[in-house]
Amino acid sequence: MTRTPPSARTATRRTHPFPQSGSGVRRAGIRRVFRACSRPGPWKRGPVLAALALLLGLLMLLHAEITDYGGLGSLVETFLPWFGLFVPVLLAGALWRRSASAVVALLLPVTVWLSLFGGLLGDRSHSGGDLVVAGHNVGADNPDPVGTARELVASGADVLGLEEITPQARPVYEKALEKAYPYHTVLGTVGLWSKLPLSDTRPVDTEMDVGPLGDAKSAAAKLPENRALRATVATDRGPLAVYVAHLGSVRVMPRGGFWTESRDRNAKALAKAVAAEPNGRVVLLGDLNGTTDDRALADLTSRLHSVQDAAGDGFGFTWPARFPVARIDQILVRGVEPESSWVLPATGSDHRPVAAGLSW
């Protein structure tokens, strides 16, 4: 009698298992169906992603309602266009989770962003223009004012407003620009150069000095730190009122948050001056240290409109010069038509210059 080795019997059992009974197959099928039914469907998956998408949309939609305590509202509005970058991030998460609810919820921030900024995506410029104006915060620490002046002359601007001119750099700019611009005025740290005659030039009080000490200062004592001026440019189409302004800086304070007190005060004072301007044609060139979405500039943007919004190409970011993320250098107008708006190449400043073509 031949015996089968144990190893062979084991192999036989492994390769020829007993088939499951009918009841075992049914139980396994029931378990699979139960597991499938217990899994959340596409509308129940990703509730956190859906909630984040809705919050993002509401934040952009209701940004004006955000408290400005600690400058929070201004901070959000300064970088408001960049909130759109969260949309593709949330969309990737929704697709990974296969969440239909999150995808649908993303329609809100997409719609809000497009309503706010969709009009800035294309080229809105037109050919032509009667006058080219340009503005530039040349930077107090600019290591190459001569090169900066050369770049500004090459822009072809007829009227040029400069901010943050130091006493040391002033004669450099005056010498470098005198051939191209026979008319100019510098009042404190701001200046205006023009190919056309200037008149009625005066400083504009933007309330840089407040309180008893500030009120006690004479106009002559305030002039070296003056940061806004007004002049009349004689054009072929009539007089044009031009303002050059540099509003107060904003600071991120460890305890105070986003500090905007001087900027906000300067903006209100400048808006009052513009409101009292009798000339119907007005151009404001300036480093306003805020975007046109910032509530602090509402008094200005309600009276003047942005050339970039009307006739620019894209967002026209200007600061910081190496990698601009916000447009805080503005050209705002009233009574003239913007035909084109563009950002000039970087100079030695931490801001980029801006220019616009205007027509009547």
Side-chain angles (χ1 to χ4, degrees):
M1 179 177 178
T2 304
R3 295 185 178 180
T4 303
S7 59
R9 290 198 299 270
T10 303
T12 301
R13 286 196 297 269
R14 288 178 179 171
T15 55
H16 299 88
F18 291 107
Q20 286 185 323
S21 64
S23 59
V25 173
R26 285 194 298 273
R27 284 195 297 271
I30 292 171
R31 283 195 295 270
R32 285 195 296 271
V33 172
F34 179 77
R35 283 197 298 268
C37 292
S38 63
R39 292 174 187 158
W43 292 101
K44 294 183 178 180
R45 296 189 198 119
V48 174
L49 291 170
L52 289 175
L54 293 175
L55 287 174
L56 176 62
L58 291 173
L59 184 147
M60 292 191 291
L61 179 64
L62 304 174
H63 65 87
E65 305 302 323
I66 298 174
T67 177
D68 207 30
Y69 179 77
L72 179 61
S74 286
L75 181 63
V76 169
E77 289 163 343
T78 297
F79 300 103
L80 195 59
W82 293 97
F83 281 80
L85 292 179
F86 289 108
V87 170
V89 174
L90 292 173
L91 178 60
L95 295 176
W96 179 67
R97 291 283 290 127
R98 298 181 182 179
S99 172
S101 59
V103 171
V104 172
L106 279 169
L107 291 176
L108 176 61
V110 169
T111 302
V112 173
W113 192 93
L114 288 175
S115 68
L116 291 173
F117 307 112
L120 301 179
L121 297 179
D123 186 354
R124 304 168 298 285
S125 63
H126 306 88
S127 59
D130 301 309
L131 189 75
V132 175
V133 298
H136 188 27
N137 179 330
V138 294
D141 299 323
N142 191 328
D144 185 19
V146 174
T148 297
R150 189 184 307 117
E151 292 290 336
L152 294 173
V153 171
S155 71
D158 300 299
V159 177
L160 177 64
L162 303 186
E163 307 93 44
E164 211 167 287
I165 303 171
T166 64
Q168 297 77 18
R170 174 177 174 173
V172 178
Y173 287 113
E174 289 177 329
K175 183 177 180 180
L177 296 171
E178 64 181 353
K179 290 184 179 179
Y181 300 96
Y183 308 96
H184 88 279
T185 181
V186 177
L187 297 176
T189 64
V190 293
L192 183 65
W193 277 259
S194 175
K195 295 179 181 180
L196 304 171
L198 299 177
S199 63
D200 196 16
T201 300
R202 61 179 183 268
V204 176
D205 184 8
T206 55
E207 299 183 4
M208 290 300 300
D209 293 303
V210 293
L213 293 178
D215 294 339
K217 284 186 178 182
S218 65
K222 293 180 179 180
L223 186 57
E225 300 300 324
N226 177 69
R227 293 174 64 150
L229 65 81
R230 184 262 183 217
T232 299
V233 178
T235 75
D236 294 338
R237 302 295 186 90
L240 175 70
V242 177
Y243 288 76
V244 182
H246 183 193
L247 302 187
S249 299
V250 298
R251 296 284 185 268
V252 179
M253 310 293 286
R255 293 185 179 181
F258 195 57
W259 185 80
T260 63
E261 181 180 345
S262 66
R263 190 277 309 270
D264 297 351
R265 183 176 66 251
N266 300 160
K268 290 181 180 179
L270 181 59
K272 289 180 182 178
V274 171
E277 171 61 50
N279 196 325
R281 295 170 177 167
V282 178
V283 173
L284 169 60
L285 307 167
D287 171 10
L288 304 187
N289 274 308
T291 69
T292 53
D293 296 309
D294 196 318
R295 67 192 68 184
L297 304 185
D299 289 344
L300 278 171
T301 54
S302 64
R303 295 179 172 90
L304 308 172
H305 59 277
S306 166
V307 297
Q308 183 65 24
D309 290 351
D313 183 5
F315 290 92
F317 294 145
T318 63
W319 179 88
R322 290 187 178 182
F323 186 79
V325 297
R327 183 181 177 90
I328 62 175
D329 301 274
Q330 309 290 351
I331 301 178
L332 306 179
V333 300
R334 180 183 77 195
V336 294
E337 290 298 323
E339 298 293 347
S340 56
S341 175
W342 63 97
V343 178
L344 296 167
T347 66
S349 172
D350 57 339
H351 294 245
R352 291 196 181 189
V354 292
L358 308 176
S359 65
W360 276 255

